[in-house]
Amino acid sequence: MNSTVQLYDATLRDGMQGEGMSLTAREKVRVAHRLDELGIDLIEAGFPASNPKELELFGLLAQERFEHAQIVAFGMTRRRGVAAQDDENLRILAECFAPVCTLVGKTWDLHLEKVVKVGREENLAMIEESVAFLVGCGKRVIYDAEHFFDAWRANEEYALECLRVAARGGAERVVLCDTNGSSLPHQVGTAVGEVVAALGRDVEVGIHCHNDLECGVANTLAAVLNGATQVQGTMNGIGERTGNANLVSIIGNLQFKLGYDVLPGDRIEKLTATAHFVDELLNLAPDPNQPFVGRNAFAHKGGLHVAGVRADASTFEHMEPELVGNERQLIVSELAGRHTVSEKAAAVGLEVDDATAQRVIDRVKELEADGYQFEAADGSFELLLRKELGGHEPLFVLESWRTIVDQNAQGHVECEATIKIWVGGERYVRSAEGNGPVNALDAALRSVVAEFHPHLRDIELTDYKVRLLDQHHGTGATTRVLVQSTDGRRTWGTIGVAQNVIAASWQALVESFEYAEAPREPAPAADADGDPATTGRPA
Amino acid sequence: MNSTVQLYDATLRDGMQGEGMSLTAREKVRVAHRLDELGIDLIEAGFPASNPKELELFGLLAQERFEHAQIVAFGMTRRRGVAAQDDENLRILAECFAPVCTLVGKTWDLHLEKVVKVGREENLAMIEESVAFLVGCGKRVIYDAEHFFDAWRANEEYALECLRVAARGGAERVVLCDTNGSSLPHQVGTAVGEVVAALGRDVEVGIHCHNDLECGVANTLAAVLNGATQVQGTMNGIGERTGNANLVSIIGNLQFKLGYDVLPGDRIEKLTATAHFVDELLNLAPDPNQPFVGRNAFAHKGGLHVAGVRADASTFEHMEPELVGNERQLIVSELAGRHTVSEKAAAVGLEVDDATAQRVIDRVKELEADGYQFEAADGSFELLLRKELGGHEPLFVLESWRTIVDQNAQGHVECEATIKIWVGGERYVRSAEGNGPVNALDAALRSVVAEFHPHLRDIELTDYKVRLLDQHHGTGATTRVLVQSTDGRRTWGTIGVAQNVIAASWQALVESFEYAEAPREPAPAADADGDPATTGRPA
């Protein structure tokens, strides 16, 4: 049960087929390094024959040093009627620095007939010759059998023959691809078992699934339980249509549920950070409900569950979150009990009695009815706690603020904010310009408060999200603004809700400064693995 | 293989435990009706004993008529040391109008010992007596065996005994719950098969899974393949932590892959609309990559795939999207070929030659490099097409615009916009107030263009999303604004990208009007099932 299973990451090639997915070559190099640090065995970095940008990427990768991972170049079997050594795409693979090449080829009659119009015998020759050519050039070759499970259902013998000729050509592994995601776990398990038995020791078998039936991960696990020794997937399951099988969940399951040591102890703790890093680079908000690594994966909401978790984590959690670099979250919301509030207060060094906890809960409920939500706005929640506890000193008293944004006849956009605030009995009037109205307000406010609290200069707003809330009020949309800020060590979220987006942004901005100013333990320094927070300012 | 499987929807109870999930009582009634129209058999509407809002909901539901679905009230087995008839939560269930009650009870030693501190024998009595009491009150009773699979692994005999006493008490069904989501499909399948064999004809078995290992759907299907005859889940898989098993995917799989007629033909076509309706009510952007019903579920990006799909849809699609009320999408993006562009043009009644298609692709690539994305901005893409084709008449020529937003010393927020534009050689200066800067610009612009194109008065901006883009530029964040608009029949998206959020919003706004003004076929009237678009205006 403990035989090795290889981890093959296709994020940078197959994953890039997903809607809105795109990375620059340099970003792909950064991802490759993070995957290597995680302990991934094979990184399918791209399709060098497909376009010049991909070829450029391999040029960059050739100069990088990877600790453990092997870089894989993806390509296709030769075109019909062309000898392997004369096929341009194979030549590019042969000349590429990557030690491993993955070739995809046809296995399904329907495709031979309708898509590529190639006869069966010729297809077999195309497979074997292409593999043999690259092996002859010194490459390790993996053969991806496209649409394998449909092919298996249509014509088992021919599908198996395709795999055999790939093995004969020298492929070290054949990968059974459920390219259209149409197979279910019991089908994949059975087919893989039969293929592994038929191929014997000739060649290793891998599995490549998609998530069209929401079974990508389950299909992959079924394959491993039936003899597959390589799993392919993408980080966070990105990919075309409904995505590729989610390699993050596959890793979590293999290691903690099926007993495979796919990543050594300290490596697997980087799972959460690596998954989030890829999301951030792709400009995706990490899915808070994602298994293993999502912010809510170990979050407890109902009061009863929270009491149970405090008693014994295994009563409600399927594993310890720290093992994958995640942490337990206790959500404060309508269903929360006083337990949850005291836990959260204790986590920031504050003690609340029952009466205060109850007031906090009541206040949260009131605000939630107005559209506030604290799960992503931990900074605003902590401020709320401090206000209920008493002793919170506001940074300033607001008199007024104003923003002016205009685009002039030359097309140039300008933006200016003016604030009038009182601090310690003195009135301050400050103006600032900025990239946008919120940025300008930020600059104006900071110019005053940083005189009194110099460390506030270090704060950066790193994310800014706006959405309209449910409208049953009639007089216009309520806007919720979520702001994320950092001081380089710690990151926090604050929220503002108002009809006017600038007013909502002002609220979130002010809370961000107030949070930063509240007395607390200094945060630990960012570790060597953590990428610095992005440094954009909101418009 | 075609025996009936009951569909049990827990969206309104278990689903509400998810982060940020909350609905008003009236919204829950609307959801219940949509689930009924879809053909769901049992709707677990809430936990009436848990708080007054839930009780109020059941009061409302009692006055509604449902075509097919039965309403289920959720509750717990009696407390220890209290007779069933004296237990307050059971009394509330007995008095509730709902014909079916689901009782959850303990099955796992660990919980008996550490969480509720109840002996095994007493627990059995609690289960049996609670079930019998409600059956005696004329209710149909379903028994939810909490943490069943952990219990089964720890102590098979006792777990089975819990189910037996529930059956003895008169439960029509016992549901095996993988409450902490810790089980894998092969484990669930085996356990369910053994339970079904052990219980025989005494009682039916159901399955209730969670998605902590990303196997919620697969676990549910494994259970059905091993004799479970009821599936529980939530719409779009909402729920605590990583969510409940996704009932939408379960339905799609049961009906189209496993041959169960869970919903009659025309009902299942409502699957996509129902799933999206629930998301919208929860103020969630529907997941475009969601299996079966996501916008991208049948979307094809790579040029090769698109060519294949045009040849024969089954070469790349696992089923016809129309069967679940979805549609095939062809994505225009970096990887797109000219095929895709001509398809999209044809869909809006335009013909493009190869040279124009190429120019469109080049333009899309340029803009994408600047942060534009057209997948969610179909309106902007169509405008781009029209501009490349030539013959597009801009609505106006911009001279300048300005917005002023301020909060005065009394706390009152005001917002005003002034635009200076040229139409037909005449200069127009207009000001307007609004809930926010974009709303004010919208009002000012509309006041001019609607004089020339009266139908533009009917357009409403229904959604407004802002996010910062990747920052490797150094001088500040690029902001992307996506606006969704409707004229009551058709909905379209437009996009703006700029450093300044107001400038980006202005772009998206202008494109929305320009899109609406372009000559096209009138859209079909919204059908009776479609809920009217939300009518909020952005700030």
Side-chain angles (χ1 to χ4, degrees):
Chain A
M1 207 41 175
N2 243 334
S3 40
T4 310
V5 170
Q6 263 190 358
L7 300 177
Y8 182 112
D9 184 292
T11 301
L12 298 178
R13 204 276 312 167
D14 214 11
M16 293 291 104
Q17 307 261 63
E19 180 217 37
M21 299 296 109
S22 80
L23 293 172
T24 63
R26 292 195 179 281
E27 286 168 334
K28 289 182 180 178
V29 171
R30 288 172 74 193
V31 170
H33 277 294
R34 290 296 289 264
L35 294 175
D36 180 43
E37 284 158 32
L38 179 61
I40 297 295
D41 301 303
L42 295 148
I43 298 174
E44 187 180 89
F47 190 159
S50 67
N51 70 60
K53 278 173 65 171
E54 296 273 294
L55 200 50
E56 173 200 332
L57 169 65
F58 278 87
L60 291 176
L61 286 168
Q63 298 158 43
E64 302 289 316
R65 288 293 157 266
F66 295 99
E67 236 184 288
H68 168 80
Q70 306 273 286
I71 300 297
V72 181
F74 181 86
M76 303 174 353
T77 49
R78 68 161 174 79
R79 277 168 305 133
R80 70 171 175 196
V82 174
Q85 62 267 28
D86 300 325
D87 184 281
E88 180 67 7
N89 115 93
L90 288 179
R91 189 190 60 72
I92 288 175
L93 284 177
E95 292 173 1
C96 178
F97 88 97
V100 185
C101 294
T102 290
L103 289 183
V104 66
K106 298 297 180 193
T107 311
W108 190 12
D109 304 55
L110 185 67
H111 274 233
L112 290 181
E113 185 194 323
K114 297 207 170 184
V115 181
V116 293
K117 304 184 183 13
V118 165
R120 293 181 193 187
E121 283 307 310
E122 166 136 41
N123 185 51
L124 293 173
M126 284 159 67
I127 296 170
E128 185 167 359
E129 290 165 18
S130 305
V131 173
F133 170 69
L134 288 175
V135 169
C137 295
K139 300 297 186 188
R140 287 168 47 196
V141 177
I142 293 170
Y143 177 70
D144 268 6
E146 205 195 38
H147 288 284
F148 183 79
F149 297 92
D150 288 284
W152 185 258
R153 287 188 280 274
N155 187 336
E156 248 179 60
E157 266 189 51
Y158 183 71
L160 202 52
E161 194 56 21
C162 290
L163 302 181
R164 286 206 169 99
V165 301
R168 218 161 57 202
E172 70 178 32
R173 184 179 298 275
V174 294
V175 178
L176 314 182
C177 303
D178 187 31
T179 309
N180 59 8
S182 64
S183 302
L184 288 171
H186 62 287
Q187 295 173 313
V188 171
T190 304
V192 170
E194 291 172 3
V195 166
V196 167
L199 294 177
R201 291 177 188 282
D202 288 354
V203 70
E204 296 283 319
V205 173
I207 182 69
H208 174 113
C209 293
H210 282 263
N211 206 37
D212 296 73
L213 305 185
E214 203 165 330
C215 289
V217 171
N219 285 350
T220 307
L221 300 179
V224 170
L225 287 172
N226 282 277
T229 53
Q230 182 192 89
V231 293
Q232 298 199 357
T234 61
M235 294 306 280
N236 308 323
I238 64 167
E240 199 168 14
R241 302 188 310 276
T242 59
N244 285 54
N246 183 348
L247 192 58
V248 174
S249 297
I250 291 167
I251 289 171
N253 276 310
L254 286 176
Q255 186 107 352
F256 297 111
K257 301 293 164 181
L258 293 179
Y260 288 86
D261 275 331
V262 287
L263 294 176
D266 59 340
R267 299 274 182 170
I268 199 163
E269 284 169 16
K270 300 179 194 234
L271 191 61
T272 299
T274 308
H276 290 171
F277 172 78
V278 173
D279 269 335
E280 283 168 29
L281 228 58
L282 288 166
N283 200 28
L284 295 171
D287 177 3
N289 302 319
Q290 193 175 330
F292 295 101
V293 302
R295 183 164 46 85
N296 295 332
F298 299 93
H300 301 277
K301 188 169 180 175
L304 287 173
H305 281 191
V306 170
V309 165
R310 274 149 56 97
D312 180 337
S314 64
T315 53
F316 286 98
E317 287 178 349
H318 70 89
M319 65 177 282
E320 288 172 44
E322 294 73 22
L323 292 171
V324 287
N326 205 346
E327 57 182 9
R328 184 175 302 134
Q329 297 283 352
L330 302 174
I331 296 178
V332 181
S333 187
E334 288 182 17
L335 305 181
R338 291 191 298 262
H339 288 297
T340 309
V341 175
S342 8
E343 289 265 342
K344 290 184 88 71
V348 296
L350 299 168
E351 246 188 78
V352 294
D353 59 22
D354 277 359
T356 308
Q358 192 56 52
R359 280 200 316 273
V360 168
I361 290 168
D362 293 342
R363 187 78 187 117
V364 165
K365 286 183 184 177
E366 254 177 54
L367 291 169
E368 283 189 343
D370 286 342
Y372 286 79
Q373 267 205 359
F374 293 95
E375 284 104 352
D378 52 321
S380 290
F381 176 73
E382 191 186 305
L383 271 180
L384 190 158
L385 258 182
R386 291 180 182 276
K387 287 175 184 173
E388 290 301 330
L389 276 171
H392 167 74
E393 294 285 333
L395 275 177
F396 64 90
V397 176
L398 174 72
E399 184 183 308
S400 68
W401 56 258
R402 181 183 67 221
T403 67
I404 301 177
V405 182
D406 60 78
Q407 180 171 321
N408 67 18
Q410 287 72 47
H412 182 65
V413 177
E414 280 190 349
C415 182
E416 170 199 309
T418 300
I419 64 170
K420 299 175 185 174
I421 63 178
W422 294 75
V423 184
E426 298 269 331
R427 186 170 182 263
Y428 296 82
V429 177
R430 291 287 164 90
S431 284
E433 290 181 306
N435 293 322
V438 178
N439 184 234
L441 284 169
D442 176 23
L445 180 57
R446 193 186 299 241
S447 74
V448 181
V449 298
E451 282 181 22
F452 297 87
H453 310 279
H455 69 92
L456 293 181
R457 275 199 187 89
D458 300 331
I459 293 169
E460 295 210 53
L461 270 68
T462 58
D463 201 12
Y464 174 76
K465 287 194 176 63
V466 179
R467 54 177 310 143
L468 295 193
L469 301 183
D470 188 30
Q471 279 70 272
H472 289 164
H473 316 288
T475 51
T478 303
T479 310
R480 179 198 295 151
V481 170
L482 269 172
V483 161
Q484 200 174 63
S485 311
T486 185
D487 57 7
R489 291 180 160 224
R490 176 186 265 126
T491 301
W492 61 93
T494 49
I495 184 173
V497 174
Q499 268 195 353
N500 182 300
V501 67
I502 310 297
S505 304
W506 170 257
Q507 281 181 36
L509 190 67
V510 170
E511 294 225 330
S512 178
F513 284 118
E514 300 240 337
Y515 169 88
E517 187 40 34
R520 66 173 54 78
E521 293 294 311
D527 70 30
D529 288 327
D531 257 53
T534 56
T535 59
R537 293 181 189 285
Chain B
M1 205 42 177
N2 245 335
S3 41
T4 310
V5 169
Q6 264 191 359
L7 300 177
Y8 183 112
D9 185 293
T11 301
L12 299 178
R13 204 277 310 170
D14 215 11
M16 292 292 103
Q17 307 262 63
E19 179 216 39
M21 299 297 109
S22 81
L23 293 172
T24 63
R26 292 194 180 283
E27 286 169 333
K28 289 182 181 180
V29 172
R30 289 172 73 195
V31 171
H33 278 294
R34 290 297 288 264
L35 294 175
D36 180 44
E37 286 160 30
L38 179 60
I40 297 294
D41 302 301
L42 294 148
I43 298 174
E44 188 180 88
F47 190 161
S50 68
N51 71 61
K53 279 172 65 171
E54 297 271 296
L55 199 50
E56 173 201 331
L57 169 64
F58 278 87
L60 291 177
L61 287 167
Q63 299 158 40
E64 302 289 317
R65 289 291 158 266
F66 295 98
E67 237 183 287
H68 167 80
Q70 306 272 288
I71 300 297
V72 181
F74 180 85
M76 303 174 353
T77 48
R78 69 163 174 79
R79 276 168 308 135
R80 70 171 175 199
V82 174
Q85 62 266 30
D86 299 327
D87 184 282
E88 180 67 5
N89 116 92
L90 289 178
R91 189 191 59 75
I92 288 175
L93 284 176
E95 293 173 0
C96 177
F97 87 97
V100 185
C101 294
T102 290
L103 289 183
V104 65
K106 297 297 179 195
T107 311
W108 188 12
D109 304 54
L110 186 67
H111 274 233
L112 289 180
E113 186 194 323
K114 296 205 170 185
V115 181
V116 294
K117 302 181 182 15
V118 164
R120 294 180 191 186
E121 283 306 312
E122 166 136 42
N123 186 50
L124 293 173
M126 284 157 67
I127 295 171
E128 186 169 358
E129 290 166 18
S130 305
V131 172
F133 169 69
L134 288 176
V135 169
C137 294
K139 300 297 184 189
R140 286 167 47 195
V141 177
I142 293 169
Y143 178 68
D144 268 5
E146 206 195 39
H147 288 283
F148 182 80
F149 297 92
D150 288 283
W152 185 258
R153 285 188 281 274
N155 188 336
E156 249 179 60
E157 267 190 52
Y158 183 71
L160 202 52
E161 194 55 22
C162 291
L163 302 181
R164 286 205 168 99
V165 302
R168 218 161 57 198
E172 70 179 32
R173 183 180 298 276
V174 293
V175 177
L176 315 182
C177 304
D178 188 31
T179 309
N180 59 8
S182 64
S183 302
L184 288 171
H186 61 286
Q187 294 173 313
V188 171
T190 304
V192 169
E194 289 172 6
V195 166
V196 167
L199 294 179
R201 292 177 187 282
D202 289 354
V203 70
E204 296 284 319
V205 173
I207 182 72
H208 173 113
C209 292
H210 282 263
N211 206 37
D212 295 72
L213 304 186
E214 203 165 329
C215 289
V217 171
N219 285 351
T220 305
L221 302 179
V224 170
L225 288 171
N226 282 277
T229 53
Q230 182 191 90
V231 293
Q232 298 199 358
T234 61
M235 294 305 281
N236 308 323
I238 65 166
E240 199 168 14
R241 302 189 309 275
T242 58
N244 285 54
N246 183 347
L247 192 58
V248 174
S249 297
I250 292 167
I251 288 170
N253 276 310
L254 286 177
Q255 186 107 352
F256 297 110
K257 302 292 165 182
L258 293 179
Y260 289 86
D261 274 332
V262 288
L263 294 177
D266 59 339
R267 298 275 181 170
I268 199 163
E269 283 168 16
K270 299 180 195 236
L271 190 60
T272 299
T274 308
H276 290 170
F277 172 78
V278 173
D279 270 335
E280 283 170 29
L281 227 59
L282 287 167
N283 200 27
L284 294 171
D287 177 4
N289 302 320
Q290 193 174 329
F292 296 100
V293 301
R295 183 164 46 84
N296 295 332
F298 299 93
H300 301 276
K301 189 168 179 175
L304 287 172
H305 281 193
V306 170
V309 165
R310 276 147 56 97
D312 180 336
S314 64
T315 52
F316 286 99
E317 289 179 347
H318 70 89
M319 64 176 284
E320 286 171 45
E322 294 74 19
L323 292 171
V324 287
N326 204 345
E327 57 182 10
R328 183 174 303 134
Q329 298 284 352
L330 302 175
I331 295 177
V332 181
S333 187
E334 289 182 15
L335 304 181
R338 292 192 298 262
H339 286 297
T340 309
V341 175
S342 8
E343 289 264 344
K344 290 182 88 70
V348 296
L350 299 169
E351 246 187 78
V352 294
D353 58 23
D354 277 0
T356 308
Q358 192 56 54
R359 281 201 315 274
V360 168
I361 291 167
D362 293 342
R363 187 78 187 115
V364 164
K365 287 183 183 175
E366 253 177 53
L367 290 168
E368 284 189 340
D370 286 342
Y372 286 79
Q373 269 206 0
F374 293 95
E375 284 104 352
D378 52 321
S380 290
F381 176 72
E382 192 186 304
L383 271 180
L384 190 159
L385 257 180
R386 291 179 182 277
K387 287 177 185 171
E388 290 301 328
L389 276 170
H392 166 74
E393 295 282 336
L395 274 176
F396 64 91
V397 177
L398 174 71
E399 183 183 307
S400 68
W401 56 259
R402 181 183 66 220
T403 68
I404 302 178
V405 183
D406 60 77
Q407 179 171 323
N408 67 18
Q410 287 73 49
H412 182 66
V413 178
E414 280 190 347
C415 182
E416 168 198 315
T418 300
I419 64 171
K420 299 176 186 176
I421 63 178
W422 292 75
V423 184
E426 297 268 334
R427 185 170 182 264
Y428 296 81
V429 177
R430 292 285 163 93
S431 284
E433 291 181 307
N435 292 321
V438 177
N439 183 234
L441 283 168
D442 176 25
L445 179 57
R446 193 187 299 244
S447 75
V448 182
V449 298
E451 282 180 22
F452 296 86
H453 310 279
H455 69 93
L456 293 180
R457 274 199 187 89
D458 301 332
I459 293 170
E460 295 211 53
L461 270 65
T462 57
D463 201 12
Y464 175 76
K465 286 193 175 70
V466 179
R467 59 177 304 147
L468 294 191
L469 301 182
D470 189 29
Q471 280 66 275
H472 289 163
H473 315 290
T475 51
T478 304
T479 309
R480 179 196 296 152
V481 171
L482 270 172
V483 161
Q484 200 175 61
S485 312
T486 184
D487 57 7
R489 292 179 158 222
R490 173 187 266 128
T491 301
W492 61 93
T494 49
I495 185 173
V497 174
Q499 268 194 352
N500 182 302
V501 67
I502 310 298
S505 305
W506 170 257
Q507 281 181 36
L509 190 66
V510 170
E511 295 224 329
S512 178
F513 283 118
E514 300 240 337
Y515 169 88
E517 188 40 33
R520 66 172 55 78
E521 291 295 312
D527 71 31
D529 287 328
D531 258 54
T534 55
T535 58
R537 291 178 190 288

